[in-house]
Amino acid sequence: MPPQLIDHPRAMHDFVRAAQRAGKRVGVVPTMGALHAGHLSLAEAAKKSCDVTVVTIFVNPTQFGPNEDFTKYPRTLDSDLAALAPLGIDAVFVPQNEAMYPPGYSTYVDPPQVAELWEGQFRPGHFRGVATVVLKLFNACPADAAFFGAKDYQQTLVVRRMVEDLNLPIEIQVLPTLREPDGLAMSSRNRYLSAAERATALTISQSLQLAADLIAAGERTAATVLARMHELFARAGITQIDYIALADPESLQPVEQLDRPVVALLAARVGTTRLIDNRLLSPLS
Ligand code: AMP
């Protein structure tokens, strides 16, 4: 059965409540569409642990800055629905902008502290938009569990903290980043890349591998690892680096010594395409 298409928050809410009244556990997978295997892995995980699965597709204007790619962000609803069809998803929530942000809309979530650094610094207002839309999606689709990708590592911390701080009755599950066979993290924005840029973009995952290798070989000084990562970017001709960081996996504060688990986080532009990636690194593994 193809999934039911639902475009209004009220109808979405009623659908979820009816399922829950029938004793079903409901899972939701929030996305902006242009679905790839990474998104589908979240939908499959939701399917596995829930009786009813909802995928949301909404390109949320409030999380894009004025000079970002909101208007050109890929909108591929037909192929998204085709990709979801074999998975046995129960409903796809596809609200219009006007249903989410009607005239007069003016309420926003002030995101938690963990939103301040990294993406928060280079995309001012981004996490305010993310926190707002995630809360709105959770209200429209009051599922028992929500599924997010570790690809957007800082986003998972923002969402988890918001859920805890605001006592939202939803379980957050975070699933691993799906990668292309050569290591490039799957992303809807990869389709902006030319063939040459696609090859250059490999530097991103390679730099994370380099960091892992250096730590495995005993390097414990963050500055040394970061310098080697920057070198790799310089050699590939990637000059527009927003940040390359080694940070505490919970607070995201930068660390100097690599004597405990850290997360490597980075954002850089390949051509005009801004890509992010991350990897958890442990001196013990
Ligand atoms: P987006 O459509 O980019 O907002 O992503 C929707 C969800 O899919 C988010 O929770 C992302 O973290 C997750 N996601 C994006 N890319 C990947 C990937 N390569 N592997 C796993 N999850 C992903």
Side-chain angles (χ1 to χ4, degrees):
M1 264 229 312
Q4 191 172 329
L5 271 184
I6 299 178
D7 67 0
H8 201 275
R10 189 77 235 171
M12 186 70 253
H13 188 272
D14 292 348
F15 176 92
V16 173
R17 286 290 184 241
Q20 288 167 333
R21 268 197 307 276
K24 313 263 192 220
R25 170 176 155 88
V26 178
V28 63
V29 180
T31 82
M32 297 203 300
L35 300 183
H36 50 67
H39 296 116
L40 301 182
S41 73
L42 301 184
E44 276 163 1
K47 232 353 241 168
K48 235 179 242 160
S49 91
C50 301
D51 307 304
V52 169
T53 299
V54 181
V55 172
T56 78
I57 297 180
F58 178 60
V59 185
N60 172 42
T62 66
Q63 71 190 68
F64 287 81
N67 299 316
E68 294 184 357
D69 57 344
F70 173 67
T71 47
K72 79 161 194 180
Y73 197 85
R75 288 158 172 88
T76 59
L77 185 59
D78 290 343
S79 58
D80 290 350
L81 295 177
L84 291 172
L87 302 187
I89 300 306
D90 299 276
V92 181
F93 182 45
V94 282
Q96 298 290 311
N97 274 349
E98 299 67 38
M100 292 293 275
Y101 300 108
Y105 187 91
S106 60
T107 304
Y108 292 87
V109 176
D110 191 5
Q113 198 178 356
V114 72
E116 279 167 19
L117 287 174
W118 319 123
E119 285 301 283
Q121 208 174 327
F122 286 92
R123 301 186 70 188
H126 171 64
F127 284 124
R128 180 182 191 247
V130 167
T132 300
V133 80
V134 168
L135 180 58
K136 283 176 66 66
L137 289 171
F138 287 175
N139 283 331
C141 182
D144 301 279
F147 297 77
F148 290 87
K151 162 76 175 18
D152 297 274
Y153 186 84
Q154 189 171 11
Q155 171 173 281
T156 66
L157 296 182
V158 168
V159 169
R160 277 192 195 285
R161 189 77 240 174
M162 175 179 76
V163 163
E164 199 169 317
D165 287 355
L166 300 183
N167 310 103
L168 304 181
I170 190 162
E171 174 191 322
I172 303 300
Q173 294 206 17
V174 175
L175 291 135
T177 301
L178 245 72
R179 296 179 179 278
E180 303 288 355
D182 61 9
L184 181 70
M186 290 184 183
S187 163
S188 302
R189 290 184 170 98
N190 290 350
R191 66 183 73 200
Y192 298 150
L193 300 169
S194 70
E197 289 167 346
R198 168 74 181 68
T200 304
L202 270 188
T203 307
I204 292 173
S205 55
Q206 285 166 352
S207 77
L208 296 172
Q209 184 61 45
L210 172 65
D213 292 345
L214 290 169
I215 293 174
E219 182 56 59
R220 293 290 176 267
T221 306
T224 305
V225 174
L226 292 173
R228 293 285 301 278
M229 294 172 80
H230 275 280
E231 251 173 59
L232 210 61
F233 277 81
R235 251 186 278 147
I238 302 178
T239 53
Q240 293 172 279
I241 299 170
D242 279 355
Y243 58 85
I244 304 179
L246 294 169
D248 178 90
E250 289 299 319
S251 70
L252 295 193
Q253 293 298 313
V255 300
E256 288 177 4
Q257 286 302 310
L258 306 172
D259 42 19
R260 59 198 164 94
V262 296
V263 60
L265 300 164
L266 60 86
R269 229 170 266 277
V270 178
T272 55
T273 304
R274 187 176 185 279
L275 299 173
I276 62 170
D277 203 349
N278 70 83
R279 181 162 163 171
L280 281 168
L281 303 170
S282 167
L284 308 169
S285 62

